[in-house]
Amino acid sequence: MDYTFVLQPTPLLDVYRKQPSHVRQLAPGHYLIDFGGELTGQFVMTAQGKAGEEVHIFSGEELMPGDQAVRYEMRCNCLYHDQWTLSGDSDSFQTYDYKAFRYVEVQGPEESLRPSSFHAVVRHYPLDEQSCLLRSSDERMNQIFDICKKGVQYGSQENFVDCPSREKGQYLGDNTIIGHSHMLLSGDLRLYRKAIEQFGRSSFVCGGLMAVVPGHFMQEIADFSLQWPMQVMTYFNYSGDKAFLQEMYPYAEGLLQHFEQFEREDGMLQGVTDKWNLVDWPQGLRDNYDFELTKPIGPGCHNVINALYLGCVHTVNEMRDLLGIHYENRLPQLKKSFLEVFYDEEKALFKDSEKSRHHALHANVLPLLFGIAPEESVVAIVDMIRTKRFACGVYFSYFVMKALAEVGEYELIYELLSSDDEHSWGNMLKEGATTCFEAWGKEQKWNTSLCHPWASGPIPVLIEDIIGLKPAKPGWQEITFCPQLPATWTSFSLQLRVPTGEIALSYNNGVWTESFPPNVTVIRAE
């Protein structure tokens, strides 16, 4: 027997009934149902007609032009058309798997349908809505927070999913953002812990870890694997669970050993051909990154994979320090090599590859984030971000904002967060989003899903970097509170559940009201 049974580490999903927001009869036997926003679950109805009669049920995330029909051949490449044959008795329509949808269109014999029975059965990982509540005087930001929160809620099932429509897969790189957001939104760390462990245990397939777990989809993405130790440390900082850190550490060592085989003499990775080198997704949002990212990649040495490698080495060093493990610190030499290969002193910017003269956003954000960039380059990199803005995918925007936070550029972070540029969460709102999208707009990717929680970066950025709340000691035993509120905020309130208790903050025209967990030290801004 090749299976091992273990106790389920997470609670059962929440499954509950939801009534439509609106039901419209378009013609006899033809109904259009709106649930008011994207959800995950099944549409349910009853009917009683003649044996062999057919009812057609079309579901989707949006309506076709004219608002008279559901777009069931969805952008995300799902075909949500169910053909239901009645038995002649009283029948209840129930599907095997869940869908991601907002609208349903029903067509069948009028006398057989029971419109009063139309409803949805919603399903997702349990989320206490009161665990994290954020409201500010910036109404657009409130809406952005809400669509991100809903995206994470519906993208959290038995495990995190990249989208609850197309793959329904748990992707390692997506979890850098989804897991971070979910811990803040739910106050529940169990699902992220489960995900981290599942990816660690995928090392039995490859020491460099798989990109999609659990499942049979054998996809490997180097960029995602190199983020796994960062996820372990984010979880540790939130939980304080040192025993779990110790348990995961061997997988981190195995990960480094896997990538060390691609080091050349100067320590830079070259020819990481066993895994996809992603940089960003979709392809058209890589800011013209100047390197051949075919599968396998083209010849030479490129920036992003090496920047992530240095970030990975730095994080594994942190793990070693916490666990008291002796090691040779190779990071200074690796940084020296990175600068020699990729740094353009004349421009004070980083090149995409050793043979390129192009300076993509991605090639500069990661050196800034991981402390590789020389001090004299910071202004040039920040100016580049100010000019190029989010010349990247939604996934990579998380790293852009976190890099800006590392150098104290909070005004620019909020400017990007709150804008309605073509590449912004404001643009998603303009396009009718009720959950965060896979791309900045519906037309920016050929198979865009309209519920994709890798776009939930505003949640950790708002709470940690703008409002300024972070664990100063693992497990929130001490809390750092360093607010960087935008000048446009005249008021805001935050309710946040952390492992040590409840945090409640409010601000109204310069007056603060604060409540922190008892017996927890709060370290404030100087």
Side-chain angles (χ1 to χ4, degrees):
M1 182 174 177
D2 58 353
Y3 293 94
T4 301
F5 290 94
V6 297
L7 288 173
Q8 181 169 309
T10 52
L12 296 176
L13 299 187
D14 273 354
V15 179
Y16 54 91
R17 183 177 179 130
K18 181 178 174 67
Q19 293 299 126
S21 297
H22 185 68
V23 177
R24 179 159 45 121
Q25 186 173 17
L26 302 176
H30 190 185
Y31 292 86
L32 184 62
I33 302 118
D34 180 4
F35 286 95
E38 183 106 5
L39 58 83
T40 50
Q42 295 97 356
F43 173 70
V44 179
M45 62 172 288
T46 58
Q48 184 165 5
K50 298 175 183 177
E53 283 185 336
E54 291 185 352
V55 178
H56 292 265
I57 299 167
F58 307 91
S59 308
E61 297 176 306
E62 56 190 320
L63 297 177
M64 297 290 285
D67 293 342
Q68 297 290 305
V70 173
R71 182 171 179 160
Y72 65 93
E73 294 185 78
M74 295 161 64
R75 295 176 190 273
C76 63
N77 209 27
C78 291
L79 181 66
Y80 280 176
H81 174 199
D82 292 290
Q83 182 176 311
W84 184 29
T85 304
L86 302 184
S87 70
D89 201 347
S90 180
D91 297 318
S92 177
F93 175 72
Q94 296 181 358
T95 55
Y96 173 74
D97 199 6
Y98 70 91
K99 296 180 173 72
F101 64 97
R102 172 178 175 172
Y103 300 99
V104 177
E105 187 180 352
V106 175
Q107 295 185 38
E110 173 65 30
E111 64 277 6
S112 304
L113 305 181
R114 302 291 182 266
S116 62
S117 71
F118 296 161
H119 67 279
V121 174
V122 182
R123 51 114 76 188
H124 54 74
Y125 188 87
L127 178 68
D128 182 349
E129 295 285 350
Q130 303 302 308
S131 293
C132 180
L133 298 173
L134 174 61
R135 280 292 173 269
S136 77
S137 54
D138 184 338
E139 185 53 35
R140 180 186 292 161
M141 189 54 59
N142 295 339
Q143 293 172 346
I144 289 169
F145 189 85
D146 286 345
I147 65 170
C148 291
K149 183 175 182 177
K150 286 297 184 185
V152 173
Q153 180 178 26
Y154 294 131
S156 301
Q157 299 290 328
E158 293 88 350
N159 46 254
F160 297 123
V161 295
D162 71 321
C163 60
S165 53
R166 189 175 59 240
E167 290 97 341
K168 295 182 177 174
Q170 181 169 248
Y171 272 76
L172 178 51
D174 298 39
N175 280 7
T176 297
I177 307 161
I178 304 172
H180 197 171
S181 296
H182 188 264
M183 289 194 296
L184 285 164
L185 289 172
S186 67
D188 182 343
L189 281 54
R190 291 172 290 180
L191 193 60
Y192 198 29
R193 185 188 194 277
K194 175 186 174 185
I196 290 166
E197 182 176 1
Q198 287 176 318
F199 280 107
R201 294 192 184 282
S202 75
S203 64
F204 85 93
V205 182
C206 172
L209 306 188
M210 304 303 292
V212 186
V213 171
H216 69 281
F217 187 25
M218 296 290 103
Q219 189 168 58
E220 302 181 52
I221 302 174
D223 314 52
F224 287 6
S225 295
L226 292 167
Q227 293 171 41
W228 183 79
M230 302 170 204
Q231 296 176 15
V232 176
M233 283 302 298
T234 300
Y235 173 79
F236 172 72
N237 286 329
Y238 272 57
S239 69
D241 187 349
K242 196 168 183 179
F244 184 68
L245 183 69
Q246 181 78 63
E247 186 182 351
M248 293 298 103
Y249 173 70
Y251 303 126
E253 281 287 4
L255 178 68
L256 285 186
Q257 289 171 17
H258 176 83
F259 281 96
E260 282 170 3
Q261 67 180 304
F262 299 104
E263 285 190 10
R264 59 188 195 184
E265 287 186 4
D266 62 356
M268 293 294 95
L269 301 185
Q270 180 168 303
V272 183
T273 56
D274 73 323
K275 297 183 188 297
W276 185 9
N277 291 214
L278 185 74
V279 175
D280 200 357
W281 196 251
Q283 293 167 290
L285 293 178
R286 290 172 174 158
D287 192 28
N288 297 313
Y289 189 76
D290 186 17
F291 189 77
E292 189 179 343
L293 295 173
T294 48
K295 290 191 279 184
I297 58 166
C301 179
H302 74 102
N303 179 309
V304 164
I305 205 71
N306 278 284
L308 286 167
Y309 184 52
L310 267 63
C312 181
V313 171
H314 172 80
T315 308
V316 175
N317 283 352
E318 286 185 313
M319 296 170 70
R320 291 162 169 161
D321 290 337
L322 285 162
L323 297 172
I325 295 170
H326 178 75
Y327 64 96
E328 176 190 355
N329 186 7
R330 301 179 59 237
L331 194 57
Q333 181 56 48
L334 290 174
K335 285 185 177 181
K336 182 173 181 291
S337 296
F338 189 94
L339 291 170
E340 289 173 353
V341 173
F342 299 113
Y343 187 52
D344 181 344
E345 291 188 8
E346 181 183 345
K347 301 286 187 181
L349 293 170
F350 288 88
K351 303 178 296 181
D352 301 352
S353 74
E354 61 183 343
K355 296 181 179 179
S356 175
R357 300 301 299 172
H358 185 255
H359 312 92
L361 179 73
H362 305 70
N364 287 271
V365 162
L366 295 178
L368 188 64
L369 176 64
F370 297 132
I372 305 166
E375 189 174 342
E376 62 270 17
S377 70
V378 170
V379 171
I381 295 174
V382 170
D383 284 346
M384 164 191 271
I385 298 171
R386 185 173 285 109
T387 300
K388 293 193 173 190
R389 302 174 76 76
F390 285 142
C392 60
V394 186
Y395 148 75
F396 197 81
S397 67
Y398 171 87
F399 300 96
V400 175
M401 294 185 291
K402 283 296 183 181
L404 289 172
E406 286 293 317
V407 293
E409 290 288 339
Y410 302 104
E411 287 186 15
L412 181 53
I413 292 172
Y414 197 77
E415 180 186 330
L416 295 171
L417 262 180
S418 60
S419 82
D420 63 354
D421 297 348
E422 183 183 0
H423 290 188
S424 71
W425 287 271
N427 191 61
M428 296 183 201
L429 293 174
K430 286 191 290 187
E431 295 189 11
T434 58
T435 52
C436 47
F437 293 172
E438 182 179 10
W440 298 114
K442 294 176 180 179
E443 302 292 346
Q444 291 186 23
K445 188 173 183 285
W446 74 273
N447 60 348
T448 305
S449 84
L450 304 188
C451 182
H452 218 90
W454 78 348
S456 63
I459 291 166
V461 170
L462 280 167
I463 294 172
E464 294 185 344
D465 303 308
I466 300 301
I467 296 170
L469 283 172
K470 291 182 182 178
K473 281 189 175 178
W476 296 83
Q477 295 298 321
E478 288 186 3
I479 296 172
T480 299
F481 179 39
C482 181
Q484 304 289 340
L485 303 187
T488 54
W489 278 16
T490 56
S491 64
F492 94 94
S493 63
L494 172 69
Q495 182 175 305
L496 183 68
R497 185 174 302 158
V498 298
T500 48
E502 303 280 345
I503 299 172
L505 301 172
S506 67
Y507 172 86
N508 194 351
N509 293 313
V511 179
W512 283 92
T513 303
E514 306 169 7
S515 175
F516 289 95
N519 305 316
V520 171
T521 300
V522 178
I523 301 170
R524 300 175 184 274
E526 296 181 0

